[in-house]
Amino acid sequence: MKAVILDAASLGPGIDLTPIRQHLDALDVHESTAREQLASRLAGAEVAIVNKVVLDGDTLAALPGLKLICVLATGTNNIDMAAAERLGIAVRNVTAYGTASVAQHTLMLMLALATRLPRYQRDVAEGRWGESPFFCLMDHTTLQLEGKRLVIVGQGELGSKVARLAQAFGMHVDFAARPGNEAHDSRPSLGELAPEADVISLHCPLTEATHHLVDADLLATLKPGALLINCARGGIIDEQAALAALREARLGGLAVDVLPTEPPRDGHPLLDALNEPLNLIVTPHNAWITPEARQRIVTLTADHLRHWQAD
C-alpha cells in the first residue's frame, strides 16, 4: 500500500514518521504541495495524508485509486467530505493529540494576563523600573487567581483539562451551556455566567452558533478587570469589539492564539495594537506545537492506518 504525505512541513521539525511507515509498502513525503501538483503526486496512491492541503471534489474524482484520507489535524474543512463519501473514500482525522500542550498554553496566557506581564515587560524595557522611587513597580493592578471564577466554554477533553489546572490554583470553575443549545442544556448560558466571571476561556469549535459568541453586548456585561482568552478559533470573539473594550479599560486583559485568517498576511487590528500599552497577548496559533503533541499526531495517524487495514 502506498501513501503520500502532501504537507509534512506542517508537522514541524524533529518528528519521526516510523510509526506510519510501518503500516505501508511505500511512503512519499513532500514538505508542501501546490494545487497543480496534487494529481501527479497522488497518482497511484491509496492513502493521502494531509494537514491543510485542500482536497476538493474535482481532485478526489480524478483519483480513482484513492481509498483513505488521513488528516493530520482535527478539522476537516479542507476536505470535500460529501464528495469523499460519495466516492467511497474514508476520511480519518486526529483528536485530543494536543490536550496537555494547549491546556498548558492556556494557563500560561491566563497567568501572564493576571500578572499584567505585557504591561510590566514594556515598563521594564522602557526603563521605568530604574526610575522608580522605591524597589518595585506597582502601576498595574494584578489579579490573584485563587478564589476567582473561571468560565469555560467547551467541556470536552481540553476544556476539562484546563478546568483541572485552574482548580489547582484554587479557582472556581463553571462550564457554560453549549452555544446554540442553551434551551436543552442544564448548564447556565455564557450570558448568565459572564457578569460574575473573572476569566473566560474559550475551547469550543467555530460554528454559526459560536461566531462572535463574545460580542460587544456580552463584553458590556463583564467586570472591568475580567480576562478573556481564546485558544479555540478566530472569530469566536469579535476581535474589534474586544480590542475596543480593552482600550477603554472595560476589559482587564485579552489573549488570543488564533485569528480569523491565518496566517494574517494582511495584518489584523490586534497585531497593530501590540505596539500599544495594553494587557494584550497574541501568540501565532502555536498552543499545540510541543514535540510531544506533534509526535502524537503521527501515532494517532498510524493507528488509523492500522484500523483501516484491519476492517
Side-chain angles (χ1 to χ4, degrees), residues 2-307:
K2 177 184 175 181
V4 179
I5 299 181
L6 294 171
D7 48 354
S10 66
L11 287 173
I15 298 303
D16 181 10
L17 297 176
T18 299
I20 291 176
R21 294 185 189 276
Q22 290 175 339
H23 298 284
L24 299 167
D25 298 313
L27 176 65
D28 292 346
V29 180
H30 302 282
E31 294 296 289
S32 62
T33 299
R35 178 182 174 81
E36 59 272 17
Q37 297 172 309
L38 288 173
S40 61
R41 289 186 173 179
L42 288 174
E46 293 178 74
V47 182
I49 303 176
V50 304
N51 190 341
K52 302 304 180 188
V53 171
V54 175
L55 296 178
D56 58 24
D58 290 341
T59 299
L60 297 179
L63 298 167
L66 191 63
K67 304 300 181 186
L68 173 66
I69 299 169
C70 289
V71 183
L72 301 169
T74 302
T76 57
N77 55 297
N78 55 317
I79 311 297
D80 188 330
M81 297 295 286
E85 183 177 6
R86 185 175 65 252
L87 294 165
I89 302 171
V91 179
R92 301 288 184 267
N93 63 332
V94 291
T95 60
Y97 58 87
T99 300
S101 181
V102 178
Q104 170 182 301
H105 194 91
T106 300
L107 264 292
M108 178 275 294
L109 294 176
M110 189 186 305
L111 289 165
L113 290 181
T115 56
R116 272 40 180 189
L117 182 62
R119 301 296 307 272
Y120 281 113
Q121 283 292 93
R122 180 182 290 270
D123 289 348
V124 171
E126 293 177 353
R128 292 178 186 168
W129 190 15
E131 299 166 356
S132 175
F134 56 105
F135 69 95
C136 68
L137 293 179
M138 299 182 1
D139 300 313
H140 316 297
T141 302
T142 60
L143 180 72
Q144 180 174 287
L145 294 181
E146 185 175 3
K148 300 305 188 295
R149 188 164 299 281
L150 168 64
V151 173
I152 298 177
V153 183
Q155 199 173 354
E157 185 169 339
L158 177 54
S160 297
K161 177 71 170 180
V162 170
R164 292 193 295 273
L165 294 176
Q167 287 165 341
F169 281 91
M171 299 188 77
H172 304 293
V173 179
D174 290 310
F175 286 98
R178 179 177 295 179
N181 191 50
E182 289 86 352
H184 305 286
D185 197 315
S186 61
R187 297 168 295 183
S189 69
L190 178 60
E192 293 174 281
L193 293 171
E196 299 302 317
D198 296 293
V199 184
I200 295 176
S201 191
L202 303 172
H203 301 285
C204 54
L206 178 61
T207 65
E208 289 185 12
T210 62
H211 180 257
H212 283 189
L213 177 67
V214 180
D215 58 10
D217 290 341
L218 187 99
L219 288 162
T221 71
L222 298 181
K223 299 176 182 179
L227 310 178
L228 176 60
I229 300 166
N230 185 11
C231 284
R233 288 290 182 267
I236 293 178
I237 67 172
D238 181 339
E239 288 93 356
Q240 295 271 27
L243 179 57
L246 190 64
R247 284 170 170 160
E248 296 164 13
R250 295 184 288 106
L251 182 66
L254 173 64
V256 303
D257 186 52
V258 287
L259 291 175
T261 300
E262 297 173 342
R265 301 197 190 282
D266 297 322
H268 188 279
L270 288 184
L271 301 179
D272 297 335
L274 291 172
N275 294 318
E276 302 175 32
L278 298 170
N279 196 27
L280 171 67
I281 303 171
V282 180
T283 54
H285 203 141
N286 67 339
W288 68 281
I289 68 163
T290 60
E292 293 87 348
R294 291 183 289 118
Q295 189 62 51
R296 177 72 175 154
I297 292 173
V298 173
T299 300
L300 292 172
T301 300
D303 288 344
H304 287 322
L305 285 168
R306 176 167 54 85
H307 292 148

